[in-house]
Amino acid sequence: MADAVEKKGEGLLDEAKGRLKDAAGGLTGDAKLQAEGKIDQLSGMAQQEFADLYDDAETTLEKATAFVQDRPLISLSVAILVGTILGAIFFGRSKKK
């Protein structure tokens, strides 16, 4: 969780740095600096989105782990049922001649 917050913070900083570069490039007429700023902004936004996805996935994994630990028999039953269904789908019944 702390890793996701750290990555999100880095993304915010990169986005802010990109906005400053973009503005400075626009004021001075430096197209290269302006382009670098836009790239930094996009990079920062992507880092923030990835941090959000990572945080959501981590929360879902924690919930699943807690469910399995709290209800091991139900979890085992579900695993057996899913395995049986997948086995029937992929391997089917063998036809005897």
Side-chain angles (χ1 to χ4, degrees):
M1 177 93 159
D3 189 40
V5 172
E6 196 174 294
K7 291 290 183 191
K8 194 166 187 169
E10 288 175 12
L12 284 169
L13 286 175
D14 284 348
E15 185 180 356
K17 180 176 71 170
R19 288 184 188 275
L20 288 174
K21 280 184 177 180
D22 186 18
L27 289 174
T28 61
D30 188 351
K32 182 180 176 187
L33 184 62
Q34 200 169 12
E36 286 176 12
K38 293 202 184 295
I39 290 170
D40 286 345
Q41 284 180 44
L42 291 174
S43 173
M45 287 182 210
Q47 282 178 326
Q48 291 174 59
E49 290 299 318
F50 179 75
D52 287 340
L53 288 174
Y54 178 80
D55 196 28
D56 291 344
E58 189 176 44
T59 302
T60 303
L61 182 62
E62 288 171 355
K63 287 179 186 176
T65 302
F67 181 84
V68 170
Q69 289 176 346
D70 292 343
R71 298 172 189 92
L73 292 177
I74 293 174
S75 301
L76 182 61
S77 300
V78 169
I80 290 171
L81 179 65
V82 169
T84 303
I85 291 171
L86 289 176
I89 290 171
F90 289 114
F91 299 109
R93 293 185 178 182
S94 59
K95 296 180 181 179
K96 294 183 181 180
K97 292 184 178 182

